[in-house]
Amino acid sequence: MIKRVALLAVVLLTVAHGTAVGRGVSPYLPLGLDPEVERQVERVLILADMPVMKRPIAAATVLDALPKACKVDPVLCEHVRKFLDNYMHPSGVAFASYAVSGESGPGGTMVMPNQHGATETSRYNAAVQGYVQPSDYLLLSAGAVSYQDRTTPTGSMLSLGWDWAQLDLGYRDHWWSPMTDSASLISTEAPTMPSITLSNYRPLTRLGLDYELFVSRMSYTNKIELTNGNLTAGYPKFGGLQLSIEPVSGWSFSAQRIMVWGGGAAGGQSISGLLQAFFNPSKAQTTGFGTTDVIGKQEGGLSSRLIFPGKVPFSVYVEFSGNDTVAGNNYLLGKPAIAGGLQFPHVGPLDIALEVQQWQSTWYVKHHSAVQTGYGDGITNYYLSIGNWFGDQRVFGDAVGGRSASLRVGWEPHFGGLLEGQLRTLVNDSYYGVVPYRHENMATLSYAYPWRGFAIGAEIDQGRDVFGGRFTRLEGFLRYGEALRSANPESADDAFNMERAEGSELFVELGATANNVLRDIQNPTVVPQRTTSATTVGPHVGVGAWRQASEHQDLGFELEADDIQGLSLISARMLDWRYRYNNPLAINAFLGVTRYALPTAAIGAYLGAGVQWRNFLPKWDLGLEYRYGDKVSRIRLAPSDTVAHGNDSYYDITMLTLSVSRKF
């Protein structure tokens, strides 16, 4: 299958060569290997109004962002440009890093988040990437990531094509999420897989279309479960497609889906069969497409990111993802996870990022069914989660749900360098896990300073894992290539001069919500219980932002809290579109994700629309909105669940909200 996909991609590039031109291929910046550079690049892209939806980031993308970002923070841009110089030669070493460490603790049970599989007991961690570029349209990269017990040729690949269609053959990382500390579908938690990737780094058409398609090979396993329960051995395939749009500067929306299939006697899928499963996932997981096109697992997601430019700019992002489908609907995601983040690239000398996530059970595990291949080792590569780092913070194969949070603060002191602290916390749902999990906490403090073209520094990690084991880890590192400030009397505030964009608004909102809930409690032994609650009224609170997209249109974000039948409902809008008429009226339509605080959290998506009377008082708006949450789902696993224990239940939540909002 991989050979067929590679041949098809090469043919497409060859055919297109005579009909289209563009810039050549671009190398990629390190991912999960140089935190200081990655943070500085993220800041540059936010200041340039370029929302990141996938990684690794092409060096050409950052180069394109510099002119706009340099008008805002010339000092930051100067140092990022200096790092990019490593990529601007016919050949050279783009990046290199070596770290030595020592630890005391539970003896190797802690997998370090997003570090290609390294544990806290690894005594060293090394990475390098060099390149030769004989032509604008051809690039050969050679790289590796090495730590105790494993070396992977991460970054070793052949790249050819153009800015609108770059083909990468080799060990290329993938990260499909606007989140910086977690990615549900694919991340750098596991060792890099060999893959074939076709993508672009120049947005296409007026919609700002961005795409990435890849097929990769997972590690060998002898636990591939056929549909009859028999085992076979081989290399499963892992692939997917991400599409994103950025129709206006500063806002992007993406949809992504991945699939796992094949391996050993489970192979034999056709490209048409894969496409059938991709576009009709509900049928693939319920009745299948016959004996030759059996697919093992699908995961999908939607993501959005909005940048708010101002004296204190920020980026807010939301992600909704799920396993397979739910209730026979291709548009509904099953066993969902929700995530969100808020990133401030410049609060004086600080940059701050806060991220939270909650997921239901069954992530990264998959046993066989009558129509789907099963994988006894789960959705892993070398027994490590291909997605979010929480997948390795549990007993192997235990499909518990949970929640996590992270807070990262970076400080550029006047004496130079970068001091960064990060706190992570994770809670697995112990009440149905195979062991009584503890709350995991991890604190990291690092400092890096520029020295003769290198970054030299140290890091200390301290915490407690989900099994109760405490650990302390100390690391010293030397990295070739840096984007750090040396000692300089000029402060970050002196160099920063961003102003709020015309037409942008921040607001807080208060109101009341009339609501009712249709409960659909599934039970395979009796008729499902469907009941509709009486209509109640509860308080509503919201906080959000709008940024002007055109003369009459705005795009925005809102975080909402409501009381629904005596329980809290927390929601975040992924897309909020508003049209302002020449009179005081405006209309809006929105899509969001929501969490309903039942004994086990119900998670889902909602749609809505509304009307506003703008400035009915100076800086005050009056709004009326209707919203509907379809099949907000939960798994009945809490100790208090006595009906249909272990089965899904669905909640259709209808709301009518009257509110006033104060603009700032």
Side-chain angles (χ1 to χ4, degrees):
M1 173 60 68
I2 291 183
K3 292 181 180 178
R4 281 181 283 172
V5 173
L7 179 60
L8 177 63
V10 171
V11 169
L12 289 174
L13 288 175
T14 303
V15 171
H17 179 67
T19 59
V21 295
R23 295 164 62 186
V25 297
S26 172
Y28 299 103
L29 302 187
L31 178 60
L33 302 172
D34 191 335
E36 293 81 28
V37 167
E38 292 178 51
R39 303 295 178 260
Q40 303 293 62
V41 167
E42 291 271 353
R43 295 174 67 193
V44 163
L45 294 176
I46 292 176
L47 298 181
D49 227 16
M50 298 174 65
V52 175
M53 303 299 284
K54 66 178 183 181
R55 301 171 181 86
I57 298 169
T61 298
V62 185
L63 192 64
D64 292 343
L66 286 177
K68 187 172 183 178
C70 286
K71 296 178 182 178
V72 178
D73 192 337
V75 177
L76 172 64
C77 285
E78 175 188 348
H79 292 279
V80 171
R81 191 189 301 274
K82 180 178 64 175
F83 178 79
L84 291 178
D85 285 343
N86 295 335
Y87 296 83
M88 302 302 170
H89 308 285
S91 63
V93 176
F95 165 78
S97 173
Y98 187 77
V100 294
S101 62
E103 61 82 33
S104 63
T109 59
M110 178 74 178
V111 179
M112 301 302 291
N114 308 318
Q115 296 299 301
H116 296 86
T119 69
E120 91 275 5
T121 58
S122 179
R123 294 289 182 261
Y124 72 92
N125 199 322
V128 66
Q129 185 173 30
Y131 65 93
V132 176
Q133 188 163 11
S135 162
D136 288 345
Y137 308 101
L138 177 64
L139 173 68
L140 179 63
S141 304
V145 171
S146 181
Y147 50 85
Q148 197 166 323
D149 301 325
R150 178 172 286 117
T151 297
T152 305
T154 299
S156 296
M157 55 188 163
L158 173 67
S159 302
L160 62 156
W162 305 269
D163 51 3
W164 54 271
Q166 177 166 326
L167 180 66
D168 300 313
L169 308 172
Y171 285 79
R172 179 195 190 277
D173 280 323
H174 302 84
W175 180 293
W176 284 359
S177 175
M179 307 282 287
T180 63
D181 194 52
S182 61
S184 294
L185 271 58
I186 184 169
S187 71
T188 58
E189 176 69 7
T192 310
M193 297 178 287
S195 64
I196 300 163
T197 305
L198 186 65
S199 63
N200 67 314
Y201 65 84
R202 173 173 61 89
L204 305 176
T205 75
R206 293 183 179 180
L207 287 177
L209 177 65
D210 198 82
Y211 71 91
E212 184 169 300
L213 170 68
F214 79 93
V215 178
S216 61
R217 191 190 73 172
M218 301 165 69
S219 58
Y220 181 86
T221 174
N222 59 6
K223 297 181 181 178
I224 302 173
E225 304 168 353
L226 303 176
T227 55
N228 58 10
N230 293 337
L231 297 180
T232 185
Y235 296 90
K237 310 302 186 295
F238 185 94
L241 172 67
Q242 184 194 55
L243 296 174
S244 67
I245 57 171
E246 188 183 345
V248 297
S249 179
W251 179 81
S252 187
F253 187 87
S254 72
Q256 46 272 342
R257 181 176 289 278
I258 63 95
M259 299 191 298
V260 184
W261 73 92
Q269 289 80 9
S270 64
I271 292 179
S272 62
L274 293 175
L275 291 174
Q276 276 186 306
F278 185 90
F279 290 107
N280 195 351
S282 178
K283 180 176 174 59
Q285 77 177 82
T286 54
T287 61
F289 298 99
T291 58
T292 59
D293 286 320
V294 175
I295 306 299
K297 180 71 171 179
Q298 295 200 52
E299 298 169 353
L302 301 172
S303 306
S304 71
R305 185 165 188 165
L306 175 74
I307 295 173
F308 186 87
K311 292 185 176 180
V312 182
F314 63 86
S315 173
V316 60
Y317 37 95
V318 180
E319 185 170 78
F320 179 61
S321 49
N323 287 266
D324 298 309
T325 59
V326 64
N329 295 302
N330 286 327
Y331 65 90
L332 294 177
L333 297 173
K335 308 299 187 295
I338 54 174
L342 181 63
Q343 188 173 359
F344 294 91
H346 210 296
V347 185
L350 304 178
D351 67 276
I352 303 170
L354 172 66
E355 298 185 353
V356 296
Q357 182 163 19
Q358 182 159 10
W359 59 94
Q360 294 183 349
S361 64
T362 77
W363 277 92
Y364 312 126
V365 299
K366 176 58 183 176
H367 297 293
H368 81 282
S369 70
V371 296
Q372 285 190 300
T373 301
Y375 297 93
D377 291 330
I379 314 304
T380 65
N381 190 46
Y382 293 105
Y383 308 105
L384 294 163
S385 169
I386 289 176
N388 196 310
W389 58 270
F390 75 71
D392 295 321
Q393 311 301 315
R394 58 189 184 183
V395 174
F396 187 79
D398 189 13
V400 295
R403 55 195 182 276
S404 65
S406 70
L407 172 65
R408 188 186 73 246
V409 179
W411 175 44
E412 293 183 311
H414 69 277
F415 49 82
L418 176 64
L419 180 67
E420 186 171 88
Q422 184 169 22
L423 297 174
R424 289 186 177 100
T425 181
L426 180 146
V427 180
N428 285 331
D429 292 337
S430 293
Y431 48 82
Y432 64 92
V434 298
V435 299
Y437 293 106
R438 303 287 299 276
H439 291 192
E440 178 173 296
N441 301 292
M442 180 178 176
T444 300
L445 184 65
S446 67
Y447 178 71
Y449 190 83
W451 177 71
R452 298 183 179 180
F454 292 82
I456 186 170
E459 177 178 296
I460 184 170
D461 303 300
Q462 199 280 330
R464 181 185 67 187
D465 65 21
V466 293
F467 306 109
R470 297 185 179 275
F471 66 92
T472 301
R473 177 177 176 271
L474 180 64
E475 175 184 277
F477 58 82
L478 179 68
R479 298 184 179 121
Y480 172 70
E482 48 82 19
L484 302 172
R485 305 186 192 199
S486 58
N488 194 320
E490 182 183 40
S491 70
D493 288 331
D494 294 332
F496 187 77
N497 61 359
M498 179 174 264
E499 297 293 334
R500 181 185 290 192
E502 182 181 355
S504 58
E505 301 173 353
L506 297 171
F507 66 87
V508 294
E509 186 174 86
L510 296 174
T513 298
N515 58 84
N516 63 61
V517 179
L518 170 62
R519 298 179 176 90
D520 186 355
I521 301 177
Q522 301 293 299
N523 189 334
T525 61
V526 298
V527 176
Q529 301 178 11
R530 293 174 59 88
T531 59
T532 302
S533 70
T535 299
T536 64
V537 177
H540 166 85
V541 179
V543 58
W546 291 102
R547 64 170 295 168
Q548 186 171 319
S550 68
E551 181 181 359
H552 289 283
Q553 298 181 80
D554 302 318
L555 290 172
F557 166 84
E558 184 174 359
L559 181 65
E560 304 171 274
D562 293 275
D563 183 301
I564 305 297
Q565 311 291 317
L567 300 172
S568 67
L569 184 79
I570 305 297
S571 309
R573 298 188 183 183
M574 306 180 72
L575 166 63
D576 200 352
W577 168 83
R578 181 173 70 177
Y579 186 88
R580 291 173 281 104
Y581 293 94
N582 291 325
N583 53 47
L585 292 181
I587 58 173
N588 70 308
F590 49 88
L591 164 70
V593 297
T594 193
R595 178 192 183 276
Y596 192 26
L598 293 161
T600 54
I603 297 173
Y606 65 93
L607 293 165
V611 60
Q612 275 188 328
W613 179 10
R614 302 181 68 247
N615 296 310
F616 78 100
L617 293 174
K619 295 187 177 182
W620 289 86
D621 295 344
L622 179 67
L624 180 67
E625 292 182 336
Y626 171 85
R627 58 176 271 193
Y628 176 72
D630 185 18
K631 297 294 185 295
V632 178
S633 64
R634 65 176 287 247
I635 307 174
R636 302 184 63 81
L637 290 171
S640 59
D641 288 324
T642 58
V643 178
H645 189 87
N647 292 284
D648 292 335
S649 294
Y650 308 115
Y651 303 82
D652 295 345
I653 304 172
T654 304
M655 302 168 56
L656 185 66
T657 302
L658 179 65
S659 64
V660 293
S661 58
R662 172 64 162 85
K663 298 178 290 189
F664 298 92

